[in-house]
Amino acid sequence: MDFKQLAQKYQTPLYVYDFAHFSEQFNKLKEAFKARKSLICYAIKANSNLSVIKHFANLQSGADCVSIGEVKRALLAGVPKYKIIFSGVGKRDDEIKEALELDILMINVESQAEMQRIEEIAKSMNKEARISIRVNPNIDPKTHPYISTGLHENKFGVDIDTATRMYLQSKQSDYLNPIGIHFHIGSQLTELEPIKEASQIVADLVRKLQKVDIDIKFFDVGGGLGVQYDDEVLIQPYDYAQAILSTLSGLDVTIVMEPGRYLSANGGYFITSVLYEKQNGDRRFVIVDGAMNDLIRPSLYNAYHKIEVLSDNTQVSKANIVGPVCESGDFFAKDVEVPLTKHGDLVVIHSAGAYGFVMSSNYNTRPRPAEVGIINNQDKLIRKRETFEDLIALEKEYM
Ligand SMILES: *Cc1c(COP(=O)(O)O)cnc(C)c1O
């Protein structure tokens, strides 16, 4: 990828996405599950640019959404309503109502209270809500605590006993139709065993429910497949599929997956330009025009991203790569060996296609970067760079 040319054409800071990589990841995963009925529902929170969603929709992907806004994005980008799932621990009444009006595949329910709410709303609309219950299997996924979700100490899902009770209740209701079961134990998973254990626990519950005539059609294994940021040893799609399939013998279910990061992370690059170098005591800082407001993962999770510095200088030394925002937490990398730079040299941050632009903000009144897709070997602007006018538009008339 010609980062210099792209930076010249679109300026920096800039997000660039390789759409061919997105396809490759999608197809690898789909292929691994070909022995069974499966539906990949791209978790659009990872990268919800409409062109990105549309690309996955063209590959026959569904969408996993965590707000009604995401549901509407998915529909707008061409995802059929019968492939859209609505997840999340705190859905508002208006979101539930709209999801029912839009007639999406199913709502993933995360608590007893939420199920009651959905039932009341469905009743008031004289509709039947298709639901799936998110089971918290109490499995330690062995990932970063902020992105771990499958333990009882996390806020997500309900325990097995509660789930069982909820299925029995929902079966009695004229306004609820339990068609799915769901678990999602965490993100950036690199170990197979916790996934297999969780799948086994949930599959056993499906068998138990079958005996009381509750017929689960969608077995939703969530997302969370890890990607290469550094030197991780990854789960291979084939092994992932085998681990899940091995727990499903005798069950006629459609396997639903909700990968986000796996599909989009490594197709994305964040390109930023060097503004200054400076030395504070024995510390070297490379100050770039991108910042934590554009890409927050290093600041928020202490996440590692591979950094590529495009410099003519061959002399290297340790440096911190930092942005202009007024926070000490504003860094992309610490103590990395990089070449000496001059004003205008490019710094390319890899694996920025997931949880990059979508987590950006306007902190420090910084307009958000443009996004460019490399689609069929051609660069295409898929989101304009924000302007100062965009940032103040909603405030101006109220001064
Ligand atoms: C965030 C999330 C995903 C996607 O997670 P990745 O780690 O990006 O694959 C899938 N399902 C649910 C319910 C989520 O909250």
Side-chain angles (χ1 to χ4, degrees), residues 41-46 64-66 87-88 108 110 134 147 149 156 182-184 186-189 220-226 257-264 354-355:
C41 289
Y42 169 50
I44 70 175
K45 73 170 187 269
D64 176 50
C65 303
V66 290
S87 309
N108 278 342
E110 300 235 13
R134 177 162 177 180
I147 49 179
T149 53
F156 300 97
H182 176 222
F183 65 94
H184 171 79
S187 200
Q188 184 55 11
L189 307 175
D220 182 347
V221 301
L225 266 182
M257 286 161 269
E258 307 170 345
R261 189 189 312 272
Y262 176 81
L263 296 180
S264 67
Y355 307 107

Side-chain angles (χ1 to χ4, degrees), residues 68 75 81 94-104 107 121 125 127:
I68 200 68
L75 287 167
K81 62 181 184 179
D94 61 292
E95 290 185 296
I96 294 167
K97 183 160 184 278
E98 204 167 348
L100 293 174
E101 276 162 4
L102 292 170
D103 199 31
I104 60 171
I107 298 178
I121 294 168
M125 299 167 72
K127 275 205 164 203

Side-chain angles (χ1 to χ4, degrees), residues 10-73:
Y10 297 102
Q11 279 75 59
T12 59
L14 178 71
Y15 275 97
V16 179
Y17 309 126
D18 175 6
F19 278 45
H21 177 84
F22 294 163
S23 303
E24 221 174 277
Q25 293 296 98
F26 185 92
N27 292 333
K28 264 194 283 187
L29 193 57
K30 187 72 191 169
E31 175 72 14
F33 282 88
K34 69 171 180 225
R36 282 275 200 151
K37 285 175 287 183
S38 72
L39 173 64
I40 297 178
C41 289
Y42 169 50
I44 70 175
K45 73 170 187 269
N47 184 332
S48 50
N49 184 290
L50 288 172
S51 299
V52 174
I53 304 171
K54 186 174 161 205
H55 182 73
F56 285 116
N58 288 341
L59 296 169
Q60 312 301 315
S61 184
D64 176 50
C65 303
V66 290
S67 69
I68 200 68
E70 285 195 351
V71 171
K72 290 196 267 196
R73 265 183 191 272

Side-chain angles (χ1 to χ4, degrees), residues 1 6-7 9-11 13-19 22 47 49 51-52 267-269 271 357 369-375 378-385:
M1 206 170 283
L6 290 165
K9 183 164 172 185
Y10 297 102
Q11 279 75 59
L14 178 71
Y15 275 97
V16 179
Y17 309 126
D18 175 6
F19 278 45
F22 294 163
N47 184 332
N49 184 290
S51 299
V52 174
Y269 302 86
I271 311 176
F357 183 90
E371 293 176 287
V372 166
I374 308 297
I375 308 170
Q378 287 187 327
D379 53 278
K380 194 177 157 220
L381 186 64
I382 58 173
R383 192 182 203 270
K384 279 201 252 185
R385 184 175 299 284

